[in-house]
Amino acid sequence: QVQLVESGGGLVQAGESLRLSCVASGREFRVNAMGWYRQAPGKQREFVAAIDPFRNTRYIDSVKGRFTISRDNAKNTGYLQMNSLKPDDTAVYFCNLGPWNSVVAGQFGSWGQGTQVTVSS
């Protein structure tokens, strides 16, 4: 079972930036896709971005041009650089690791604790 530790969240003002990190263990990092997700208060968890082993990426429309997903296979770590943050980006952010289709669909049985991102206006 994969273990996931997200970090890097915080309280920022609109327009500022944050960089989230996700350290994964228990599954071979380099051969799997990695995804970032978020869950806002009162809403379901949603897919945000994904990166495959070849560094192909996918984003939801609302973060395109503002967020960048990346990975460092040597460190078993994925990142989400978030620029020009908006209050609507406020959520708990999670990551996960697995086959591409599972990552894009967010179909996982277990999740990490997540990291809180709060954007004030």
Side-chain angles (χ1 to χ4, degrees):
Q1 183 171 331
V2 65
Q3 290 80 46
L4 304 154
V5 179
E6 302 95 341
S7 63
L11 171 61
V12 297
Q13 293 188 330
E16 294 185 339
S17 300
L18 283 172
R19 187 195 194 203
L20 306 184
S21 299
C22 169
V23 180
S25 59
R27 186 172 293 165
E28 192 171 1
F29 186 86
R30 65 180 62 249
V31 301
N32 280 285
M34 197 204 73
W36 283 96
Y37 312 82
R38 64 188 181 187
Q39 186 167 18
K43 296 186 177 180
Q44 290 191 336
R45 182 156 37 211
E46 66 169 348
F47 166 83
V48 174
I51 185 167
D52 74 7
F54 306 100
R55 293 178 166 77
N56 297 307
T57 58
R58 181 179 293 186
Y59 299 90
I60 56 172
D61 287 345
S62 61
V63 307
K64 284 181 181 177
R66 300 189 298 122
F67 290 12
T68 303
I69 189 171
S70 62
R71 61 192 293 159
D72 185 339
N73 290 339
K75 296 181 179 180
N76 284 2
T77 302
Y79 304 97
L80 186 67
Q81 177 68 43
M82 306 187 297
N83 298 330
S84 302
L85 282 162
K86 304 176 180 179
D88 284 350
D89 296 319
T90 295
V92 179
Y93 284 70
F94 301 86
C95 63
N96 224 314
L97 187 73
W100 177 257
N101 289 341
S102 296
V103 166
V104 173
Q107 293 177 338
F108 295 101
S110 65
W111 296 83
Q113 294 296 310
T115 185
Q116 176 71 48
V117 172
T118 304
V119 185
S120 63
S121 58

